[in-house]
Amino acid sequence: MTESRNYKSELAAVFGHPVAENPTIVMMEAAFRAAGVDYRYLTIEVLPEDLAAAVGGARAMGFRGVNLTIPHKIEVIRLLDGISENAALIGAVNTVYRRGDKLLGENTDGKGFLASLKEEGDLDPAGRSFVILGAGGAARAVSVELALAKAARIVIVNRDEGRGRALAERVAGIGGTKAEYAAWTPGYRMPEGIDVLANATSIGLYPDPSRPDIEYGAIRAGMVVCDVIPNPPRSSFLKEAAARGAKTLDGLGMLVNQGAIGFKLWTGLEAPVGEMRRALAGEFGDA
Ligand code: NDP
């Protein structure tokens, strides 16, 4: 044999519990194929009590990257060598990447939302006013990134008052952005002067056909309305908004954009975003 050969693939994975229905593998494998890199993506069931051993294993085996999903996004932090400023503000890590012998944590959820807003919505959040429905992990990631991007005002609307107020306080603490909590009473009507309305709750996620209980008549033509729900991409929330002339951005775009940031951290290459979106849309029956 004269040529040297390389039979070793680079590895990335998602750790979760439950994890079997997580579709990230579909967009990541499509991205690796399109970019022509020899990477493999694995969907791995990791119990909470095994997270430290699993991260140790990924470290020992030289994994290029790991995504974390329920219930590991917070617990993983203490197992890493460092995390980004925005992940620290959000208090959760969804993407781990390797630099030398260090494993570092990032949160790409809110950044994926921002990328959709800028690239698909053609909207710079600086100086704009937002209503965010929800105060869970997705709402926290989105609101923190909006504040870091110098949004003028963020109204957090949540069913649970304690969670809603806590998020408004966290966002207000970033500085520069006015943040307030508003109670979610049935038929909630957003205030005047809002540029972007985002559903960051789990309402409407397949197979739930419902939509947030708000006054849809308050949506003006030209307003940007976003949903974090990736499946179905055309949620009933977005259909109502589009019928009132709003520009709509779906959660599939956010999911692809957050994955694209991870892809770049792992491979050093720009992500083939179109291929990733096509692969996932096919999975959600919306190709
Ligand atoms: P959490 O469980 O952390 O938070 C859920 C939020 O939804 C809470 O604010 C909760 O309110 C609210 N909520 C749920 N049901 C209702 C209801 N019936 N009425 C009013 N409020 C309700 O979940 P996450 O934030 O982690 O995830 C939320 C969604 O975001 C998921 O569906 C997930 O698919 C999606 N997501 C999408 C991403 C993407 O890239 N597109 C990335 C991350 C998440 P309360 O506090 O009152 O209980």
Side-chain angles (χ1 to χ4, degrees):
M1 192 155 61
T2 52
E3 283 173 43
S4 72
R5 299 187 183 213
N6 180 6
Y7 297 106
K8 174 181 166 291
S9 301
E10 302 301 336
L11 296 176
V14 55
F15 294 169
H17 175 68
V19 78
E21 290 187 18
N22 187 301
T24 308
I25 184 173
V26 174
M27 75 172 171
M28 285 304 180
E29 292 264 312
F32 295 150
R33 265 196 309 278
V37 293
D38 186 9
Y39 276 55
R40 305 288 161 85
Y41 193 92
L42 303 167
T43 301
I44 304 180
E45 188 83 32
V46 175
L47 294 173
E49 59 269 32
D50 294 329
L51 182 64
V55 170
R59 194 186 280 280
M61 288 186 277
F63 274 44
R64 292 292 188 124
V66 177
N67 287 132
L68 286 311
T69 187
I70 290 170
H72 302 313
K73 288 185 180 186
I74 298 169
E75 269 308 298
V76 74
I77 293 175
R78 65 183 176 84
L79 304 170
L80 303 175
D81 301 305
I83 66 172
S84 65
E85 183 201 355
N86 57 301
L89 285 168
I90 295 164
V93 159
N94 74 339
T95 303
V96 171
Y97 61 103
R98 176 180 287 274
R99 286 293 175 270
D101 62 353
K102 303 249 186 295
L103 289 184
L104 304 175
E106 175 60 279
N107 192 311
T108 64
D109 283 338
K111 289 184 172 181
F113 177 86
L114 244 61
S116 288
L117 207 54
K118 287 181 177 167
E119 285 154 31
E120 298 163 37
D122 198 23
L123 186 135
D124 182 343
R128 304 294 193 130
S129 295
F130 295 77
V131 165
I132 307 293
L133 304 175
R140 207 158 59 233
V142 164
S143 309
V144 164
E145 296 294 350
L146 288 173
L148 289 171
K150 304 195 182 334
R153 178 187 185 194
I154 301 178
V155 183
I156 305 291
V157 183
N158 198 51
R159 183 179 58 177
D160 181 287
E161 181 175 346
R163 283 226 273 178
R165 284 197 187 281
L167 179 54
E169 273 168 32
R170 180 178 297 219
V171 171
I174 292 172
T177 299
K178 270 182 59 188
E180 69 214 66
Y181 165 74
W184 195 339
T185 45
Y188 166 80
R189 189 179 180 91
M190 70 182 133
E192 296 294 317
I194 296 299
D195 300 298
V196 180
L197 166 67
N199 172 38
T201 72
S202 44
I203 301 168
L205 184 66
Y206 179 84
D208 171 16
S210 61
R211 56 176 175 265
D213 184 358
I214 61 165
E215 173 49 62
Y216 286 87
I219 294 175
R220 291 177 282 105
M223 186 181 269
V224 175
V225 176
C226 321
D227 205 336
V228 301
I229 298 298
N231 185 20
R234 300 303 302 162
S235 62
S236 101
F237 174 70
L238 291 186
K239 284 182 189 158
E240 283 287 335
R244 285 164 174 82
K247 187 180 220 177
T248 58
L249 300 178
D250 62 35
L252 185 52
M254 173 179 167
L255 186 59
V256 167
N257 281 313
Q258 68 78 25
I261 297 164
F263 179 93
K264 186 162 188 191
L265 288 171
W266 299 342
T267 65
L269 303 170
E270 290 303 326
V273 173
E275 304 285 343
M276 294 167 76
R277 183 170 174 112
R278 262 190 296 284
L280 261 191
E283 213 56 28
F284 295 154
D286 188 53

PDB file of all heavy atoms in Angstrom, residues 14 22 36 84 92 106 113 131 143 168 176 187 240 273:
ATOM      1  N   VAL A  14     -26.262  14.342  19.760  1.00  0.00           N
ATOM      2  CA  VAL A  14     -27.188  15.008  20.686  1.00  0.00           C
ATOM      3  C   VAL A  14     -27.412  14.060  21.855  1.00  0.00           C
ATOM      4  O   VAL A  14     -27.642  12.872  21.665  1.00  0.00           O
ATOM      5  CB  VAL A  14     -28.525  15.420  20.012  1.00  0.00           C
ATOM      6  CG1 VAL A  14     -29.245  14.255  19.336  1.00  0.00           C
ATOM      7  CG2 VAL A  14     -29.456  16.104  21.032  1.00  0.00           C
ATOM      8  N   ASN A  22     -35.948  13.369  18.469  1.00  0.00           N
ATOM      9  CA  ASN A  22     -35.240  14.607  18.126  1.00  0.00           C
ATOM     10  C   ASN A  22     -34.728  14.514  16.678  1.00  0.00           C
ATOM     11  O   ASN A  22     -33.954  13.615  16.355  1.00  0.00           O
ATOM     12  CB  ASN A  22     -34.062  14.790  19.100  1.00  0.00           C
ATOM     13  CG  ASN A  22     -33.389  16.126  18.914  1.00  0.00           C
ATOM     14  OD1 ASN A  22     -32.895  16.431  17.830  1.00  0.00           O
ATOM     15  ND2 ASN A  22     -33.384  16.935  19.945  1.00  0.00           N
ATOM     16  N   GLY A  36     -19.413  17.949   2.221  1.00  0.00           N
ATOM     17  CA  GLY A  36     -18.385  16.974   1.832  1.00  0.00           C
ATOM     18  C   GLY A  36     -17.373  16.682   2.925  1.00  0.00           C
ATOM     19  O   GLY A  36     -16.207  16.421   2.647  1.00  0.00           O
ATOM     20  N   SER A  84     -19.934  30.649  26.924  1.00  0.00           N
ATOM     21  CA  SER A  84     -19.978  32.005  26.364  1.00  0.00           C
ATOM     22  C   SER A  84     -20.770  32.930  27.294  1.00  0.00           C
ATOM     23  O   SER A  84     -21.546  32.467  28.139  1.00  0.00           O
ATOM     24  CB  SER A  84     -20.636  31.986  24.985  1.00  0.00           C
ATOM     25  OG  SER A  84     -21.989  31.592  25.131  1.00  0.00           O
ATOM     26  N   ALA A  92     -28.140  28.400  30.253  1.00  0.00           N
ATOM     27  CA  ALA A  92     -28.295  27.078  29.632  1.00  0.00           C
ATOM     28  C   ALA A  92     -27.369  26.977  28.419  1.00  0.00           C
ATOM     29  O   ALA A  92     -27.082  27.983  27.765  1.00  0.00           O
ATOM     30  CB  ALA A  92     -29.739  26.874  29.193  1.00  0.00           C
ATOM     31  N   GLU A 106     -22.021  26.861  24.365  1.00  0.00           N
ATOM     32  CA  GLU A 106     -22.657  28.004  23.704  1.00  0.00           C
ATOM     33  C   GLU A 106     -24.161  27.752  23.725  1.00  0.00           C
ATOM     34  O   GLU A 106     -24.602  26.605  23.862  1.00  0.00           O
ATOM     35  CB  GLU A 106     -22.125  28.084  22.256  1.00  0.00           C
ATOM     36  CG  GLU A 106     -22.745  29.122  21.357  1.00  0.00           C
ATOM     37  CD  GLU A 106     -22.574  30.540  21.879  1.00  0.00           C
ATOM     38  OE1 GLU A 106     -23.364  30.930  22.771  1.00  0.00           O
ATOM     39  OE2 GLU A 106     -21.691  31.256  21.400  1.00  0.00           O
ATOM     40  N   PHE A 113     -32.682  32.510  16.365  1.00  0.00           N
ATOM     41  CA  PHE A 113     -33.856  33.385  16.225  1.00  0.00           C
ATOM     42  C   PHE A 113     -33.435  34.722  15.609  1.00  0.00           C
ATOM     43  O   PHE A 113     -34.062  35.226  14.679  1.00  0.00           O
ATOM     44  CB  PHE A 113     -34.488  33.603  17.607  1.00  0.00           C
ATOM     45  CG  PHE A 113     -35.660  34.534  17.606  1.00  0.00           C
ATOM     46  CD1 PHE A 113     -36.938  34.065  17.330  1.00  0.00           C
ATOM     47  CD2 PHE A 113     -35.494  35.881  17.888  1.00  0.00           C
ATOM     48  CE1 PHE A 113     -38.031  34.926  17.326  1.00  0.00           C
ATOM     49  CE2 PHE A 113     -36.576  36.754  17.885  1.00  0.00           C
ATOM     50  CZ  PHE A 113     -37.849  36.270  17.604  1.00  0.00           C
ATOM     51  N   VAL A 131     -42.967  41.857  21.762  1.00  0.00           N
ATOM     52  CA  VAL A 131     -43.772  41.104  22.731  1.00  0.00           C
ATOM     53  C   VAL A 131     -43.378  39.642  22.594  1.00  0.00           C
ATOM     54  O   VAL A 131     -43.413  39.082  21.492  1.00  0.00           O
ATOM     55  CB  VAL A 131     -45.290  41.274  22.485  1.00  0.00           C
ATOM     56  CG1 VAL A 131     -46.075  40.216  23.257  1.00  0.00           C
ATOM     57  CG2 VAL A 131     -45.747  42.667  22.919  1.00  0.00           C
ATOM     58  N   SER A 143     -35.080  36.308  24.426  1.00  0.00           N
ATOM     59  CA  SER A 143     -35.122  37.638  25.060  1.00  0.00           C
ATOM     60  C   SER A 143     -33.717  38.144  25.401  1.00  0.00           C
ATOM     61  O   SER A 143     -33.420  39.329  25.225  1.00  0.00           O
ATOM     62  CB  SER A 143     -35.955  37.599  26.344  1.00  0.00           C
ATOM     63  OG  SER A 143     -37.195  37.025  26.093  1.00  0.00           O
ATOM     64  N   ALA A 168     -38.335  38.972  32.962  1.00  0.00           N
ATOM     65  CA  ALA A 168     -38.295  40.424  32.697  1.00  0.00           C
ATOM     66  C   ALA A 168     -37.156  41.073  33.489  1.00  0.00           C
ATOM     67  O   ALA A 168     -36.426  41.926  32.968  1.00  0.00           O
ATOM     68  CB  ALA A 168     -39.642  41.053  33.056  1.00  0.00           C
ATOM     69  N   GLY A 176     -29.870  48.819  29.038  1.00  0.00           N
ATOM     70  CA  GLY A 176     -30.222  49.443  27.760  1.00  0.00           C
ATOM     71  C   GLY A 176     -31.616  49.089  27.275  1.00  0.00           C
ATOM     72  O   GLY A 176     -32.265  49.906  26.637  1.00  0.00           O
ATOM     73  N   GLY A 187     -57.346  36.432  25.773  1.00  0.00           N
ATOM     74  CA  GLY A 187     -57.504  37.477  24.774  1.00  0.00           C
ATOM     75  C   GLY A 187     -56.542  38.638  24.980  1.00  0.00           C
ATOM     76  O   GLY A 187     -56.833  39.776  24.592  1.00  0.00           O
ATOM     77  N   GLU A 240     -52.894  32.902  11.305  1.00  0.00           N
ATOM     78  CA  GLU A 240     -53.730  34.032  11.758  1.00  0.00           C
ATOM     79  C   GLU A 240     -53.005  35.359  11.511  1.00  0.00           C
ATOM     80  O   GLU A 240     -53.611  36.349  11.100  1.00  0.00           O
ATOM     81  CB  GLU A 240     -54.012  33.919  13.264  1.00  0.00           C
ATOM     82  CG  GLU A 240     -55.054  32.908  13.640  1.00  0.00           C
ATOM     83  CD  GLU A 240     -56.466  33.369  13.275  1.00  0.00           C
ATOM     84  OE1 GLU A 240     -56.703  34.588  13.174  1.00  0.00           O
ATOM     85  OE2 GLU A 240     -57.318  32.486  13.072  1.00  0.00           O
ATOM     86  N   VAL A 273     -27.174  26.110   4.654  1.00  0.00           N
ATOM     87  CA  VAL A 273     -28.458  26.335   5.325  1.00  0.00           C
ATOM     88  C   VAL A 273     -29.643  25.830   4.487  1.00  0.00           C
ATOM     89  O   VAL A 273     -30.588  25.244   5.023  1.00  0.00           O
ATOM     90  CB  VAL A 273     -28.602  27.843   5.654  1.00  0.00           C
ATOM     91  CG1 VAL A 273     -29.977  28.156   6.204  1.00  0.00           C
ATOM     92  CG2 VAL A 273     -27.536  28.255   6.667  1.00  0.00           C
TER      93      VAL A 273
END
